[in-house]
Amino acid sequence: MEWVNNGAAMTDPPSDNQGPRVEEVTSADGHPSTPRGYGAIVGVVAGAVAVTTGMFVAGVMDVISPIDAVGSEFIDRVPPWLKELAIRWFGTNDKRALRVGIVATLAIAALIVGILAVRRLAAGIVGIAIFGLIGTLAAVHRPGESGLAALPPLIGTALGIPVLVLLLRPSRPAAREIPGPSRVPLGWDRRRFLVSSGSAAAVAVAAGGIAQIIESRRVESIRKTIPESLPQVFAPGGGGPTVPADATLSSVTPFVTPNADFYRIDTALSFPRINLSSWKVDISGLVDRPLSLTYNDLLGRPQVERIVTLCCVSNDVGGGYISTASFQGVMLADLLNEAGVQKGAEQVFSTSLDGWTSGFPVSVALDGRDAMIALGMNGEALPLEHGFPARLVVPGLYGYVSATKWLRNIKLTTWDAVEGFWVPRGWSRDGPIKTESRIDVPRDGENVTAGAAKIAGVAWAQHRGVDKVEVSINDGPWQAARLGADVTDDAWRQWVLDWQVTPGDYTIRVRATDKTGATQTADVAPPDPDGATGYHTRSVKVV
Ligand SMILES: Nc1nc2c(c(=O)[nH]1)N[C@H]1C(S)=C(S)[C@@H](COP(=O)(O)O)O[C@H]1N2
Ligand SMILES: [Mo]
C-alpha cells in the first residue's frame, strides 16, 4: 500500500498556519491518512508511552526499570575505547550523559519508526516490538532480577503498539464526509489527531513522573533502613587512630574527606534493591566451611576502624578520584581464616548486588593488612552511595580490583576461573596503587601575590607509606617539602613548602618517594591499564 505524499513532511515541519496543504493526504484507496511528518510525532508519543508505562510498572512491581536495564547492559558491553571517551568527555557525569544518550537514541528511533509506520503500519509495530524485546532481554539478564522483570517492558510494548495504531488510524470517511453531492473526503482530521496524541503524551508524562516518584521513594525507603549509628565495639587494638591536627597542612584538602565529598565511582545507574532483612554476605568457593553472614552477624563481630585512602585507577595525574575515610568493619582475614581457605585458592573474587565484580590475590587478603568488610565510614553506617550495607576496603589496591560496594558474596577461586569486571575490558588484573602526589595549592592558573607563599598538596603510596615529597620550581633543584603527621601507611600524607616568591611565571612540579625508597616515576602514562603516572605540574603567575 503506497500513500500519496507531497514529501513536505520531513523538511517542512507542519505548523498551524500552513493550512490544509500537508493535511490533504489521501491513501491510494481514497482514505485520508496521517501525513508522514505527523508520523514522527506518533512514533515519539507511542515510544514514550511504551517506555514510561514500562518504568511505571517496574516501579510498582519493584523490579528493574527497562531503561536502566538497557543502560546497564550497555555499560557492561560498551567497548573500552568508548567508555574511556565518555569518561574523558563527561567525567563523573558520564551516567547522566548515558541517560541523555539513551533517551535521545530512543526518541530518534521512535521518530523513524513512526514515519515508517505511516507507510507501513506493520513496520511500525515490528519496530516498537523490537525495542520491547531488547528491553525484555536486558531486564531478565540483569543480575538479581527474576523473570518478572520481563513484565514491565512487555506491558509497555503492549501499550505502545495500540497507541501507535490508534493514532495512525485514518479517519473513517463515512463519518467525515461533507454532506452534499460532492462526497469528497474531508481529509485527515488534525484536531482529532492533536487531541488523541496529546492525551497519549499526557499519559506518558504522568507515567514517567509517577515512575520517578516511586523510584525516589524506593531509594528513600532503603536509606531509612540505614542505622543512625553503628556499635562502636572494637576488637583489641581495633579502634582507629585519631588524626592529629598536624596531619592537615592546608585547609584546601581535609585529611579525612567528609562522606558527602568522597569521590564516587561505580557502574550503577540506580541503587541496587537492598533488603536489609534478607541481605547476607556469603563466603564460599575454595573454603572448608562456607559462611553466610547477615548484617547483624557482621555488626556483632569484633570490629576495627582504620583510616584508608581509596583511589580510582581512572584518576588522572592531579585528579580528584581519591579520598580518605575512617572505615569501620570486620577484618577480612578473620573471616577467611574462619572459613578455612583451601590450597589452590588464588583470588578473592567478590560480587555486588548489582552484579559488578572484582578480584585480588588471596595473599593480599592474608598478608596482615587491614583488608575489611566495611560497614561504617567516618563514624556513620556506610552511605548508600558508598556501598551500604557493606563493601570491601583493601588498603593499597585500586578500587576496581577490590573495593566492591553493595557486597553480595565473596568467592575464593583461581585466576583462571573468573575475571573481575574491568579485567576483560582491558584493565590490568593486578591493581596496586602507584605512588603519586598532587599539588592543591596554589590552584592552576591562580594569581599568587609576591612575598611569602605556600605550595601544598597530598601524596600517597598506600600500604608502603610516604617518606618524602619534593617540589621543583621552574625546573630548579628538587626541594624537600615539610610533611604532615604520618597517620598510617594506608592513607595519603599532606605536604607543604614555604615559598618566598617574586613576580613572574612559575611552573611547579611535585614528586613523592615511598618508604621502600622508590620515587614515583616521571614517565607519563594514562590511567589505562593500571594507573596514571607522571609528575603533577601547575603553572601560576606571581604578581
Ligand atoms: N558494586 C560496585 N562496586 C564498586 C564499583 C562498581 O562499579 N560497582 N566500582 C569500584 C571502583 S572502580 C572504585 S574506584 C570504588 C569507588 O568507591 P567509592 O565510590 O566509594 O569512592 O568502588 C569500587 N566498587
Ligand atoms: Mo575505580
Side-chain angles (χ1 to χ4, degrees):
M1 219 184 348
E2 266 290 315
W3 301 137
V4 179
N5 189 291
N6 63 13
M10 278 301 285
T11 50
D12 216 346
S15 75
D16 274 280
N17 53 23
Q18 259 184 322
R21 186 168 62 90
V22 181
E23 300 181 14
E24 279 178 2
V25 179
T26 313
S27 71
D29 58 5
H31 287 205
S33 78
T34 313
R36 213 176 280 183
Y38 286 82
I41 300 175
V42 172
V44 171
V45 169
V49 167
V51 167
T52 55
T53 55
M55 287 164 59
F56 171 79
V57 173
V60 171
M61 291 178 60
D62 196 19
V63 297
I64 192 163
S65 138
I67 288 282
D68 281 359
V70 171
S72 296
E73 288 294 306
F74 182 80
I75 290 176
D76 288 3
R77 283 150 209 270
V78 65
W81 62 265
L82 187 57
K83 156 90 188 165
E84 272 308 291
L85 201 65
I87 290 185
R88 219 130 294 283
W89 285 356
F90 306 113
T92 40
N93 279 327
D94 57 347
K95 280 187 220 159
R96 191 171 309 161
L98 176 63
R99 275 181 196 283
V100 171
I102 290 173
V103 170
T105 307
L106 280 176
I108 291 168
L111 196 134
I112 293 169
V113 164
I115 292 169
L116 290 178
V118 172
R119 267 175 159 246
R120 269 174 140 262
L121 189 56
I125 295 172
V126 169
I128 294 197
I130 287 173
F131 280 92
L133 187 66
I134 293 173
T136 307
L137 292 176
V140 295
H141 189 254
R142 291 314 295 162
E145 296 295 338
S146 70
L148 285 178
L151 278 178
L154 289 177
I155 292 172
T157 311
L159 289 170
I161 289 174
V163 168
L164 180 90
V165 173
L166 289 176
L167 290 180
L168 287 178
R169 190 182 51 179
S171 317
R172 275 160 298 156
R176 314 293 308 171
E177 277 168 60
I178 298 171
S182 68
R183 305 190 67 79
V184 175
L186 181 64
W188 178 72
D189 184 339
R190 178 163 65 183
R191 185 177 308 136
R192 197 197 67 166
F193 173 81
L194 290 179
V195 169
S196 47
S197 60
S199 321
V203 167
V205 168
I210 297 171
Q212 260 173 330
I213 293 170
I214 296 176
E215 169 63 8
S216 50
R217 285 173 65 172
R218 178 184 79 84
V219 171
E220 273 324 298
S221 73
I222 298 174
R223 286 195 206 278
K224 282 209 188 87
T225 65
I226 303 180
E228 296 260 323
S229 62
L230 297 183
Q232 303 279 299
V233 185
F234 295 119
T242 46
V243 178
D246 61 345
T248 307
L249 301 177
S250 139
S251 55
V252 170
T253 310
F255 187 87
V256 170
T257 318
N259 288 351
D261 300 338
F262 203 98
Y263 83 95
R264 177 183 169 193
I265 298 279
D266 53 64
T267 60
L269 277 178
S270 52
F271 291 115
R273 260 174 293 288
I274 297 157
N275 184 344
L276 198 59
S277 52
S278 60
W279 177 83
K280 282 193 206 78
V281 182
D282 296 324
I283 302 180
S284 64
L286 298 172
V287 293
D288 295 332
R289 296 166 294 274
L291 298 177
S292 190
L293 303 153
T294 66
Y295 193 58
N296 282 332
D297 290 341
L298 286 167
L299 283 180
R301 290 190 161 244
Q303 309 273 307
V304 297
E305 189 173 29
R306 295 289 183 255
I307 292 168
V308 180
T309 298
L310 287 191
C311 184
C312 184
V313 69
S314 302
N315 198 32
D316 282 314
V317 170
Y321 297 162
I322 177 165
S323 307
T324 301
S326 176
F327 289 99
Q328 176 182 340
V330 177
M331 289 284 285
L332 183 63
D334 291 350
L335 296 169
L336 295 185
N337 289 333
E338 198 172 312
V341 177
Q342 293 174 354
K343 264 209 186 63
E346 299 166 329
Q347 183 180 196
V348 179
F349 184 81
S350 57
T351 305
S352 67
L353 288 169
D354 58 324
W356 187 84
T357 56
S358 70
F360 59 92
V362 170
S363 56
V364 164
L366 299 176
D367 71 359
R369 76 182 75 196
D370 296 320
M372 66 167 105
I373 294 184
L375 305 162
M377 184 172 177
N378 291 335
E380 305 170 8
L382 272 183
L384 194 48
E385 289 74 6
H386 298 289
F388 175 79
R391 74 175 304 169
L392 283 171
V393 169
V394 183
L397 301 187
Y398 287 119
Y400 82 106
V401 290
S402 64
T404 304
K405 305 194 276 190
W406 313 298
L407 186 59
R408 170 70 191 86
N409 63 59
I410 296 173
K411 203 165 175 183
L412 280 289
T413 183
T414 60
W415 290 114
D416 282 344
V418 268
E419 288 179 319
F421 182 87
W422 285 111
V423 178
R425 290 165 176 82
W427 296 80
S428 168
R429 188 193 82 181
D430 296 311
I433 297 175
K434 295 177 177 177
T435 303
E436 270 292 322
S437 47
R438 188 180 77 190
I439 303 164
D440 292 337
V441 180
R443 296 249 160 245
D444 218 12
E446 186 178 322
N447 282 358
V448 177
T449 37
K454 278 190 196 314
I455 303 171
V458 287
W460 59 91
Q462 283 91 321
H463 208 58
R464 297 179 298 281
V466 173
D467 189 47
K468 187 166 67 176
V469 173
E470 297 161 294
V471 175
S472 163
I473 299 162
N474 285 350
D475 291 323
W478 288 101
Q479 310 173 50
R482 182 161 61 84
L483 293 178
D486 193 9
V487 177
T488 152
D489 289 348
D490 293 337
W492 57 17
R493 211 167 163 185
Q494 297 210 354
W495 56 267
V496 65
L497 185 78
D498 293 317
W499 188 27
Q500 261 328 115
V501 65
T502 53
D505 289 321
Y506 294 88
T507 299
I508 307 163
R509 289 189 299 160
V510 64
R511 69 177 190 190
T513 299
D514 69 22
K515 289 181 181 173
T516 73
T519 299
Q520 74 176 79
T521 176
D523 295 345
V524 174
D528 176 12
D530 60 1
T533 60
Y535 294 159
H536 188 214
T537 303
R538 278 194 166 171
S539 301
V540 290
K541 193 178 208 61
V542 177
V543 289

